[in-house]
Amino acid sequence: GTTITISSYHWVMAWTGLEINTLAILPLISKSHHPRAVEAATKYFLVQAAASTLVLFSSMTNAWYTGQWDITQLTHPTSSMILTAALSMKLGLVPFHFWFPEVLQGSPLTTGLLLSTVMKLPPLSLLYMTSHSLNPALLTTLAILSAALGGWMGLNQTQTRKIMAFSSISHLGWMAIILVYYPKLTLLNFYLYAMMTATVFLTLNSMKVLKLSTLMTAWTKAPSLSTIFLLTLLSLAGLPPLTGFLPKWLIIQELTKQSMAPAAMIISLLSLLGLFFYLRLAYCATITLPPHTTNHMKQWHVNKPVSPLIAILTTLSIMLLPISPMILNIV
């Protein structure tokens, strides 16, 4: 489904790819037959179906006015506005974000990883292809709102999957703000974000952690993994010597060049909210000792080696900043 959407020129083919994607992920969400998983699958299906309908509607409106079904020829302002709304719905940008934390909370961690990374690629690629005709003011507004709400609503969460959902919403804000001005940076940001999120989800999955309270007792299980997990989280927050700083730095630089310094300043300040809950996750993972009166099972230390995939992804999530000139040349 993703491949069809990314490689299509015609709107109907793009729509078909999005539909295949939605239908393919539904069994993965509702796999556990838990009422919450079924509810998450239903919410996901309804939202994605509505968004797909809007995508089709905007392309038909455009074809009606211009006679063009080509994705890159979306020139009519009304249809580009409807398309922005539809794809924001698919991605989970504010104000269409309400389904995303709920769906992520109802799905297993591996499915959550797919929802946060792979499922975001087709809508983003459509936005990338139509970026020249989108409305900059609308996208900037959506982006700043996403960064704000993703930060604020993640502050008091105790469930790791919900924290990751809100972190995803605020990262999408960073991607959306630069989309009109420098679309390649949006894609670069997405690739690096997907890599760091994959690391976090796989680490949580290997430690079997769903809540912060479990995370507090999980450090005895794999001490080395927990320690490196701290760095991955800080990289996701975008702290300087780590990989996550690269897209933020480039986006702020590009926004300043486009004389959008106020927007750059606001979104940078809003990313501090995200930093707070990443720090809290990191604090629970590595720095706190759980109280002795805890009613949690103590986790046994396992001598199971960390999977090579997590090791590679973690290394990439932490150490890519020095080779940023090379990355920029590739992009």
Side-chain angles (χ1 to χ4, degrees), residues 157-219:
Q157 299 296 336
T158 55
Q159 302 282 344
T160 48
R161 284 168 294 184
K162 277 199 170 164
I163 290 179
M164 291 313 294
F166 287 118
S167 114
S168 177
I169 292 169
S170 58
H171 273 274
L172 280 170
W174 279 89
M175 291 174 219
I177 199 165
I178 198 67
L179 186 70
V180 180
Y181 304 105
Y182 197 165
K184 283 188 173 169
L185 264 187
T186 300
L187 284 188
L188 173 69
N189 193 346
F190 175 74
Y191 297 144
L192 293 177
Y193 156 75
M195 188 176 67
M196 294 183 286
T197 304
T199 315
V200 172
F201 269 110
L202 291 171
T203 308
L204 290 173
N205 193 36
S206 73
M207 296 197 283
K208 298 281 176 286
V209 168
L210 295 176
K211 302 195 292 289
L212 287 185
S213 50
T214 328
L215 191 59
M216 284 185 184
T217 52
W219 67 274

Side-chain angles (χ1 to χ4, degrees), residues 144-157 166 170 270 272-274 276-277:
I144 288 176
L145 283 175
S146 296
L149 265 159
W152 264 317
M153 293 176 76
L155 289 181
N156 57 354
Q157 299 296 336
F166 287 118
S170 58
L270 289 172
L272 289 176
L273 293 168
F276 176 81
F277 58 77

